[in-house]
Amino acid sequence: VNVLCLDKTGTITDGRMKILKDIQLTERHPYELCDIIGTMEKILDDSNQTAIALRAHYIPKNELSAVKILPFSSARKFSAVTFVGAGTYALGAPEFIISDLPESIKMQIDQYTFTGNRVLMLAHSNAGISSKDQLPLTMKPLALIVLTDNIRSEAIETIKWFKQNDVQVKVISGDNPITVSEIAKRAGIENASNWISLEGLSDKEVASVADRYTVFGRVTPEQKALLVKSLKRSGHSVAMTGDGVNDILAMRESDCSITVASGADSAKNVAHIVLVDNNFNSMPKVVSEGRRVINNIQQSSSLFLMKTIFITLLALVSIISVKSFPFSSGMLTMLELFIIGVPSFVLSLQPNDKRVDGDFLMTITSNAIPGALILL
């Protein structure tokens, strides 16, 4: 693998989000934030880390009654609920709820996203969700909720290790690209300031930027898979890490897919590797073990192939010269045991962290032929 694609949440960060603060954008509103957000999260019952953090922080004192709900999705980037006599509340990515935000609110959002925090917006309208699951056009900003995400300490060391081993690291996330870029910088990812938002880009445009950027934000599950496909078409061997349902398409397209034991069951079902200790720092050990297996099998295979080439050539010489084969099977026992058997067993167990280079068959053949000719 020479390109490693990381999902931010659960890989670079540990996924345990905390509410840093909430900012009221209107002076008067009939309901408290804990009642609105707490009731929304209870009704929606999402299992993602953002929902868990919101449920833990906003505990409703007076629950509202729901008429219609709009669950969170990776495409929408928000969830919404219409309550009896209270109108519609939407919670999610600010620009997806209200496209034309006032400049003063944009400045407040930028203030927190530029420091690596995630910002959600709560908006309200007296109208209800339409029959086509569309938000009312009269949505007004009500509050900003600032969440902070904890970077895994082991992720920094692991990313450094991959950098030293010439593996290019890219971050693909559904979050705001500025937030993702700041977190990537703190994790030590090279060229983390080279970011792009994939919101509104066509498939052709997404494919064209896959090799040019390091951080990708506002990415849909389909776009994640398209990025991995495009990188493979460019000649890269691509690994993809992820722990959620929205990562599955990209994981299936990758050459090597990795998840953690705490991830979604569907992600674990499609992954090639599951890190059972939920520790991102285990990945260099996985690579080292893979190198040991491949390199040692190469060396052991060379011994067996050397014997095969030697016996074949000797048989041809006997046929051409019309002479009997010079060895009986008993005579070859010492060769089998001391030249092939014992050395290959020892070689297969020795430590070997050398990078895997070249083609497997070409390597073992080029190693075997000189030995076979010497034996002949």
Side-chain angles (χ1 to χ4, degrees):
V1 167
N2 63 353
V3 175
L4 174 64
C5 296
L6 305 177
D7 179 49
K8 177 183 75 69
T9 307
T11 306
I12 299 176
T13 62
D14 59 16
R16 293 177 296 176
M17 292 186 176
K18 291 186 291 185
I19 309 300
L20 191 64
K21 67 189 297 186
D22 50 51
I23 305 157
Q24 294 270 7
L25 300 175
T26 57
E27 291 183 7
R28 293 180 182 179
H29 194 75
Y31 302 101
E32 293 184 19
L33 288 181
C34 61
D35 292 333
I36 301 164
I37 298 173
T39 306
M40 284 181 71
E41 293 307 322
K42 187 174 181 180
I43 293 167
L44 293 163
D45 196 30
D46 287 327
S47 58
N48 59 64
Q49 292 299 327
T50 305
I52 292 168
L54 290 169
R55 268 198 299 273
H57 188 83
Y58 296 103
I59 300 168
K61 299 172 188 173
N62 304 295
E63 292 187 18
L64 305 171
S65 298
V67 177
K68 188 169 184 177
I69 66 170
L70 203 58
F72 177 84
S73 77
S74 299
R76 272 196 295 267
K77 307 290 184 192
F78 66 82
S79 55
V81 179
T82 300
F83 293 109
V84 176
T88 300
Y89 291 92
L91 180 65
E95 65 270 31
F96 281 78
I97 297 172
I98 301 174
S99 57
D100 191 19
L101 284 167
E103 199 60 39
S104 58
I105 295 176
K106 283 183 182 178
M107 287 175 67
Q108 288 188 74
I109 293 169
D110 290 344
Q111 177 187 341
Y112 291 103
T113 53
F114 277 117
T115 54
N117 294 305
R118 189 178 174 198
V119 181
L120 302 179
M121 187 174 72
L122 180 69
H124 174 255
S125 171
N126 290 322
I129 298 168
S130 73
S131 57
K132 294 182 179 180
D133 290 342
Q134 298 291 325
L135 287 178
L137 298 174
T138 54
M139 298 297 292
K140 301 291 182 187
L142 187 63
L144 297 176
I145 294 91
V146 182
L147 297 96
T148 182
D149 211 344
N150 187 45
I151 293 177
R152 292 179 183 268
S153 57
E154 66 270 15
I156 298 170
E157 286 300 313
T158 303
I159 288 165
K160 182 181 176 182
W161 185 89
F162 277 109
K163 181 181 174 182
Q164 290 169 346
N165 283 267
D166 300 325
V167 176
Q168 190 180 357
V169 178
K170 293 180 182 285
V171 186
I172 304 173
S173 175
D175 291 346
N176 186 306
I178 301 171
T179 301
V180 181
S181 174
E182 287 302 315
I183 288 174
K185 284 178 191 174
R186 282 156 50 191
I189 293 175
E190 199 171 19
N191 299 320
S193 57
N194 187 23
W195 59 265
I196 186 173
S197 173
L198 299 191
E199 181 190 348
L201 266 61
S202 66
D203 288 355
K204 190 176 180 180
E205 289 170 326
V206 171
S208 67
V209 300
D211 240 344
R212 289 161 43 199
Y213 292 89
T214 303
V215 174
F216 303 86
R218 296 293 182 225
V219 186
T220 64
E222 293 77 16
Q223 287 175 330
K224 284 186 180 184
L226 187 56
L227 284 170
V228 172
K229 274 186 188 175
S230 302
L231 288 167
K232 286 172 69 177
R233 272 200 298 267
S234 299
H236 298 293
S237 294
V238 184
M240 175 74 197
T241 69
D243 65 344
V245 176
N246 59 332
D247 301 314
I248 291 173
L249 293 175
M251 290 170 70
R252 291 185 69 175
E253 290 294 339
S254 66
D255 295 298
C256 179
S257 54
I258 306 147
T259 190
V260 288
S262 61
D265 288 340
S266 49
K268 287 187 281 187
N269 287 337
V270 301
H272 293 108
I273 298 170
V274 180
L275 302 174
V276 294
D277 58 358
N278 295 309
N279 190 349
F280 185 51
N281 205 29
S282 298
M283 287 178 66
K285 298 174 190 173
V286 173
V287 176
S288 295
E289 182 69 12
R291 287 177 175 177
R292 186 178 76 86
V293 170
I294 294 170
N295 289 326
N296 289 350
I297 284 178
Q298 266 187 348
Q299 293 185 74
S300 298
S301 298
S302 296
L303 289 175
F304 286 95
L305 187 61
M306 175 186 73
K307 173 217 165 188
T308 303
I309 294 170
F310 160 61
I311 295 295
T312 304
L313 292 175
L314 191 59
L316 288 172
V317 169
S318 298
I319 292 167
I320 293 167
S321 61
V322 199
K323 290 183 179 178
S324 61
F325 192 75
F327 300 125
S328 67
S329 57
M331 294 175 183
L332 293 172
T333 302
M334 299 296 270
L335 171 72
E336 295 276 6
L337 184 62
F338 293 108
I339 304 300
I340 311 297
V342 174
S344 65
F345 178 76
V346 175
L347 283 173
S348 66
L349 297 178
Q350 74 170 353
N352 194 329
D353 198 31
K354 182 186 173 186
R355 290 190 200 181
V356 178
D357 292 318
D359 179 76
F360 185 83
L361 283 174
M362 288 297 294
T363 302
I364 64 171
T365 304
S366 60
N367 288 343
I369 288 173
L373 293 175
I374 290 167
L375 279 174
L376 184 65

